[in-house]
Structure formats: C-alpha cells, structure tokens
Amino acid sequence: MLSASYLDGHSSHLFTVQLSRVDEHLLILGEGWERQVPLAACALEPILGNLPARLNLPDGAVLECPAAQALAELLGQGQQPLAQLEARWRYSVLAVLGIVLAAVLLYWQGMPLAAHLAAKLTPVKLEAMLGEATLASLPKFGIGLQRSQLPPARQQALQQRWQAQTQASHFPYQLHFYDLSSVGANAFALPGGQVVVTDQLATLLSDDEIIAVLLHEMGHVERQHGLRNVYQAAGLGLIAAVVLGDAPSAVSNVAAMAALVVQLGYTRQFEREADEFAAQRLRAQGKSPALLADALEKLVGSQPAHTEVPELLATHPATAERLRTLRQP
C-alpha cells in the first residue's frame, strides 16, 4: 500500500490515506472511511522530477503521493514518458541543445521573415510617419541636424533632379541637406522616404554622383530595408503594434530608437539589392552604374585611416567587390 495525502475538494483539511488497487478501482483508505474510484476516472498529472505525484479524482478531490513512480505503476501507467526523459541526462542535454537551436533559427530566419511580412503590412502613411518621427528624434541621439551651408541654387537643382527620380513612387520622398560634421560625408534614408545628404558628401561628389548615391538610398526605401531593420531589432512587440493597428505606440517606439537605422547600417544582402536598384535606374536613364562606383571610391579615399567608415560603406559587401560589380558593362 502507498501512503498519500487526500484533499476532498470541499475543505482545507488534509487527510492521510493509504492507497491500493482492487481490480479496476483505486481503493482509498482513511481513518474510519474508505472510497473506491474507477481507475479510468483518475487523472494522473505528468510526473516532474522528485516532486509528489498529483492524482485528480472526478469529484474534484486530489491525491498527492511522494512515491510518484510507484503510484503510476499502481494505476497501471508504468513509467511516464516525461519521467523517462528526465531520468536520462542525455535527453536533457539534447532538449537544451534543441531549445538553443530553435532560438538561433528564430533569430536568424524567423525574425527576418516576420520583419519582412510586417513591413509589407505596414501602410505607406504609417511608414512615412515613422520616418518623420525618426528624423525629428535624431538630435536626441547625438546626431545634430545643423543647417546646410550649400548654396541654395545647388540645393534647388538637386531637389529638382531628385523629384524627377521619385515622382512615380508611392512613397512621399523628402530630400534634406544638413551640415553634419559629426557624421561626415554620408547619405542615409529613413523609412517612408526621408533622405538625408550631408554637406560633406555634397562637397565631395559631383551632382551626377550624388544622384547615383540617392538612387542607392531610394533602393533601401523601395525595398523597405530600414523598416525591416527596425522591426527586426525591436522584435515582436513593435511588429504586433503595427499589425494590430496601434499606430501611436509604434511611432513612439520607433522614435525612441531613432538612431538605429543610421547607426547599425544594413545587411550585406540589403546593400547588394540597393546597388542593383541604383544600377538598373541609371542604365534605364542611359547612364553608367560606374557613377555610383566613382562615388564610393571618393568616399573611401576621403576617410583617414583612424576614422569610422561612413554608413554608406559600413557592414557593406567588400568595396572592391561592389566596385567590380558596378563597373561591369
């Protein structure tokens, strides 16, 4: 017989009982009372380690037995699968490795896929709001937006050429010029079509080369690379806010991590896609993708060895590889 604790489900009193089996019934013997319950009506909870086994009876009563495995055998259930796994350390190690592998796959495969799908579901208007909030928040993250010192005539000429490039797009593009000495020669695009060109980049490149760089940034916007980067870094919480329609929450969350797109850069695959986008646009206009290659070479040459690599180059495919691809006939 097995000793167990019995709770009748109607009071807090704990009874000490003895358990045995009579044919297809469980016999419960208390002090001056007994009870028989069909085995088929007894529900044994999974046995966990050395914890007492819990047996639920049909009327809400509960039995707790320290001899968990003995109770399982009394009920004719033998050793439970979960208990078998816990009793073998190799299975535990395999389970831990499986959890780690699943987490890695979720991060490397699941999150990019979720971010891609969420970007597709994001309304253009909301994406534009996210980009505007990000741009407005950059000074809070050490990226000061100083007024551009470029001649107004050159700014206007570049604005007109840029508008001609973007007029067929469904994104509401806006081109901004800023004097960003802390950033240096650079250009970057934010979700929804906010594009920034620094005075330092405009001083370094010709107008044709600047347009080639802007087409590269346009590729990031059209492919929603920035938005996908933000979603992937922020995780499922931000994705849920967008998909479920909590726009104010989504905007505030992106604004809180405003510098993310600028500071983290893009994956190598994203950069290749943006290069391909720019090259296709340039060829369609009768111009050579070598314009973008020339711009990249000037960027590389303008950087002293001890300075940080510009965002346009950071985390990108090897510059030599990009130049070779862009200069192909």
Side-chain angles (χ1 to χ4, degrees):
M1 299 187 64
L2 296 176
S3 294
S5 298
Y6 177 85
L7 291 167
D8 61 13
H10 303 291
S11 69
S12 60
H13 186 69
L14 190 66
F15 299 92
T16 299
V17 298
Q18 300 297 316
L19 306 178
S20 62
R21 177 171 175 170
V22 179
D23 297 327
E24 295 302 314
H25 288 76
L26 177 67
L27 177 62
I28 306 171
L29 297 177
E31 294 182 6
W33 61 273
E34 68 175 53
R35 177 183 179 190
Q36 290 192 36
V37 182
L39 294 179
C42 299
L44 181 63
E45 295 183 2
I47 297 174
L48 300 175
N50 295 322
L51 295 177
R54 285 177 57 89
L55 184 67
N56 297 307
L57 304 182
D59 61 349
V62 176
L63 284 166
E64 288 192 354
C65 180
Q69 197 54 52
L71 176 60
E73 293 174 359
L74 179 68
L75 298 173
Q77 297 188 18
Q79 190 172 27
Q80 292 190 321
L82 186 58
Q84 290 179 337
L85 292 176
E86 289 185 332
R88 292 168 172 79
W89 65 268
R90 292 183 180 83
Y91 291 150
S92 299
V93 171
L94 289 175
V96 171
L97 291 176
I99 292 172
V100 172
L101 179 60
V104 171
L105 289 176
L106 175 63
Y107 180 79
W108 288 109
Q109 301 295 330
M111 281 306 301
L113 178 59
H116 177 71
L117 294 176
K120 292 296 183 184
L121 292 173
T122 303
V124 172
K125 184 176 181 180
L126 176 57
E127 188 171 351
M129 290 171 57
L130 299 178
E132 292 168 2
T134 300
L135 182 63
S137 298
L138 288 179
K140 299 178 183 178
F141 294 85
I143 304 177
L145 303 177
Q146 304 298 322
R147 184 175 179 178
S148 174
Q149 301 302 311
L150 291 178
R154 190 180 183 201
Q155 291 189 44
Q156 183 177 1
L158 286 169
Q159 288 281 8
Q160 291 176 347
R161 293 185 63 178
W162 177 237
Q163 289 172 6
Q165 298 288 344
T166 61
Q167 61 184 359
S169 175
H170 62 286
F171 287 103
Y173 282 95
Q174 293 185 37
L175 179 60
H176 307 272
F177 294 95
Y178 291 110
D179 181 5
L180 299 181
S181 57
S182 62
V183 175
N186 211 338
F188 55 87
L190 301 175
Q194 301 292 324
V195 182
V196 172
V197 172
T198 69
D199 286 4
Q200 291 72 19
L201 183 72
T203 301
L204 181 66
L205 305 182
S206 69
D207 286 6
D208 285 344
E209 291 167 342
I210 290 175
I211 294 300
V213 169
L214 289 177
L215 287 174
H216 171 95
E217 298 303 327
M218 186 179 181
H220 286 312
V221 175
E222 296 293 322
R223 302 292 186 265
Q224 297 181 294
H225 294 159
L227 186 62
R228 289 161 64 181
N229 259 4
V230 171
Y231 282 155
Q232 186 168 339
L236 296 176
L238 183 59
I239 291 176
V242 173
V243 173
L244 297 177
D246 189 2
S249 172
V251 171
S252 63
N253 284 332
V254 171
M257 51 191 304
L260 184 69
V261 175
V262 179
Q263 293 176 343
L264 291 187
Y266 296 104
T267 66
R268 293 185 175 224
Q269 180 59 36
F270 284 176
E271 291 303 337
R272 290 189 182 95
E273 292 179 10
D275 279 352
E276 291 171 1
F277 180 92
Q280 291 173 0
R281 283 298 188 95
L282 288 168
R283 289 192 182 98
Q285 298 168 23
K287 298 179 180 180
S288 172
L291 281 170
L292 180 56
D294 293 341
L296 294 178
E297 280 190 322
K298 289 183 179 180
L299 269 173
V300 173
S302 71
Q303 300 301 312
H306 64 278
T307 61
E308 294 184 2
V309 178
E311 186 275 335
L312 189 64
L313 303 176
T315 70
H316 289 198
T319 302
E321 174 193 337
R322 299 179 69 193
L323 295 176
R324 185 168 54 253
T325 302
L326 290 168
R327 293 192 187 284
Q328 288 178 352

